[in-house]
Amino acid sequence: MQYLLLIYANEAEIAKRSEAEAKAMMEEYGVFTQAIIKAGQFKAGDRLQPISTATTVRVRSGKTLTTDGPFAETREQLGGYYLIEAKNLDEASQIAARIPGAKHGSIEVRPIWVYK
């Protein structure tokens, strides 16, 4: 079964990291990503641009409305994702717990409804 692991973190806190801390975090992500690729669990994954680049689109009464910024303002922002293959929610949650960002942010685990 496929799961989407949504990585949330506070962008303001991330921006405070030193260059060495940011490099160490990226190396942790590299190790994690290679591990799930090797295990055959990786389907896709990427880091997102900052929320200042987001646009939210809504259609109301046939009119398309766009606003700058994310859908909702929260303390933590969606910063990236992994699409993985896991046997069940327990395995997906165990993989999510290994994502480096889980130590300071949060990881939302969502099963994918695959259309056939």
Side-chain angles (χ1 to χ4, degrees), residues 13-102:
E13 293 299 319
I14 290 171
K16 293 178 186 174
R17 289 186 187 146
S18 70
E19 197 170 308
E21 291 170 324
K23 184 176 182 241
M25 179 61 77
M26 290 308 297
E27 288 172 359
E28 279 188 68
Y29 269 98
V31 169
F32 169 75
T33 302
Q34 288 305 311
I36 63 173
I37 288 171
K38 199 172 188 175
Q41 297 165 313
F42 179 85
K43 293 287 186 187
D46 276 307
R47 182 178 180 181
L48 300 180
Q49 294 285 334
I51 60 168
S52 61
T53 64
T55 301
T56 300
V57 177
R58 296 177 176 87
V59 176
R60 301 290 184 268
S61 302
K63 292 184 178 179
T64 301
L65 308 170
T66 61
T67 54
D68 293 338
F71 169 70
E73 291 191 24
T74 60
R75 240 184 70 189
E76 294 181 334
Q77 294 79 38
L78 180 60
Y81 69 93
Y82 283 98
L83 177 63
I84 63 162
E85 184 72 34
K87 293 176 193 160
N88 52 42
L89 178 59
D90 286 342
E91 184 178 57
S93 296
Q94 290 170 7
I95 294 168
R98 293 171 31 218
I99 294 175

